[in-house]
Amino acid sequence: LAPAMLTQNDNNLRTQAVAVLDHYDDAESLRLQATRMADLNYELRVTVRENLLRKTQIAALKPVVDEIIGEQLNSDFYQGIEQAILLSVALHEAERCPIYLKLLEYPRLETSLIAAWALQELAQAPELMDGVLPHAQSITARLVNKEPTEFPDHLRQAFLFEAMGRNRYQPAVEMLKLYIPKDHSMSDYCRASAIWALGKILEDSQDADIAQALAQRMLDYDHIDPEHPLVKYNSTVALGRIKAPGSLEKLRAVPASDDIAQLAVEWAKQQLTK
């Protein structure tokens, strides 16, 4: 009865059908429950994703799961696309990054956001960043021009910046530098990730100008408009990576009362005194 139950409007019936099918370790049962990967019920599609991930431990079923992921990524249902991305990242399938890159253009912002997160998690090819850069530049232009943006835009941008940082993507440096000045309209989440990425890209560069700008962010404890804690924290970490002369003295100026900042300060000092 499971195939018929999977098509019912009742969430409980579909959930029971998936539970029954999950008892079997054959391709047909796996494919049947995979049809609910795009279910309208969020909890059910998460359950299916978790079931499929567990089934990949069976060697004969791993290729079936891979086929299912490919089918969902190319489907017309955002629910299935999102679950397929999450499953693919859990399986460390970096070869699917070109598909994630295309999904940055997906019309539903939340789906595009998850694709950006996947690139941040898995992208290990600098040439992929050539495709990421125009997307990051587009949001940057909107932020600079004070055009309307939404919070998912900012998170998506943050993930793309972190992908660039992990890949040491030098062409992004000039764009990332725009996020250093204290301008909250540029999104503090974007600014924090941009600064983190600059630290990765410019590691050991001893860039004095950028280090000076980051030190100003780290030490901004203005009573009326203090710098965002994430920006201060990542500025501190970036200073430890860049290793510009004079950074150690700047780090010593961070107030001891700022417990969270001190964690980053101690780490940065270790990098500078190695």
Side-chain angles (χ1 to χ4, degrees):
L1 296 176
M5 292 168 67
L6 287 171
T7 63
Q8 301 301 307
N9 291 329
D10 188 303
N11 290 338
N12 292 322
L13 285 176
R14 298 197 308 279
T15 300
Q16 289 179 37
V18 165
V20 168
L21 291 166
D22 196 50
H23 284 294
Y24 297 90
D25 295 330
D26 62 276
E28 182 181 359
S29 298
L30 193 62
R31 285 191 171 279
L32 276 172
Q33 73 159 309
T35 62
R36 294 297 93 203
M37 210 165 165
D39 198 273
L40 294 178
N41 182 277
Y42 175 75
E43 292 182 358
L44 180 53
R45 58 183 186 262
V46 169
T47 296
V48 172
R49 167 171 49 89
E50 293 173 346
N51 289 348
L52 266 60
L53 178 60
R54 191 177 64 256
K55 294 292 185 182
T56 60
Q57 297 174 11
I58 302 172
L61 294 182
K62 177 61 166 60
V64 180
V65 173
D66 285 337
E67 289 178 13
I68 292 167
I69 292 173
E71 292 164 2
Q72 292 293 337
L73 287 174
N74 289 289
S75 72
D76 296 325
F77 301 98
Y78 77 83
Q79 297 95 333
I81 293 172
E82 292 176 0
Q83 295 304 313
I85 294 173
L86 294 170
L87 179 55
S88 177
V89 172
L91 294 170
H92 308 290
E93 295 183 337
E95 66 275 11
R96 296 195 191 270
C97 283
I99 298 176
Y100 305 148
L101 187 58
K102 291 180 180 178
L103 287 171
L104 291 179
E105 300 176 1
Y106 197 84
R108 185 175 186 270
L109 185 54
E110 287 80 359
T111 307
S112 174
L113 167 61
I114 295 176
W117 167 77
L119 286 166
Q120 181 261 156
E121 287 289 306
L122 297 179
Q124 298 178 356
E127 58 268 21
L128 283 170
M129 297 302 103
D130 291 337
V132 166
L133 184 59
H135 294 277
Q137 289 174 327
S138 175
I139 296 295
T140 297
R142 289 167 60 189
L143 290 170
V144 168
N145 295 324
K146 305 294 190 289
E147 297 176 14
T149 55
E150 300 179 52
F151 185 60
D153 284 312
H154 304 163
L155 291 181
R156 175 179 175 273
Q157 186 82 326
F159 287 138
L160 296 182
F161 287 166
E162 290 171 26
M164 291 174 175
R166 289 173 189 269
N167 283 275
R168 309 293 203 277
Y169 189 64
Q170 287 284 342
V173 168
E174 292 306 312
M175 173 186 64
L176 295 172
K177 285 163 62 175
L178 297 173
Y179 290 84
I180 297 178
K182 185 167 66 175
D183 181 354
H184 302 300
S185 68
M186 293 292 287
S187 169
D188 290 330
Y189 284 100
C190 292
R191 295 177 59 229
S193 288
I195 288 169
W196 181 89
L198 280 170
K200 294 286 283 186
I201 296 169
L202 300 176
E203 193 160 10
D204 298 322
S205 69
Q206 299 189 356
D207 190 308
D209 291 338
I210 289 183
Q212 176 62 26
L214 294 178
Q216 291 176 357
R217 298 298 95 234
M218 176 183 70
L219 295 171
D220 186 342
Y221 287 89
D222 186 270
H223 292 296
I224 298 174
D225 182 26
E227 185 56 272
H228 192 281
L230 279 177
V231 172
K232 289 197 291 187
Y233 190 95
N234 282 358
S235 294
T236 308
V237 171
L239 284 173
R241 288 200 169 106
I242 293 171
K243 299 181 176 66
S247 293
L248 200 56
E249 288 72 19
K250 299 290 185 182
L251 289 167
R252 288 171 178 153
V254 175
S257 57
D258 191 337
D259 294 337
I260 295 177
Q262 284 299 325
L263 295 173
V265 167
E266 291 305 313
W267 182 88
K269 285 180 178 178
Q270 291 173 13
Q271 309 313 304
L272 289 164
T273 56
K274 279 183 178 179

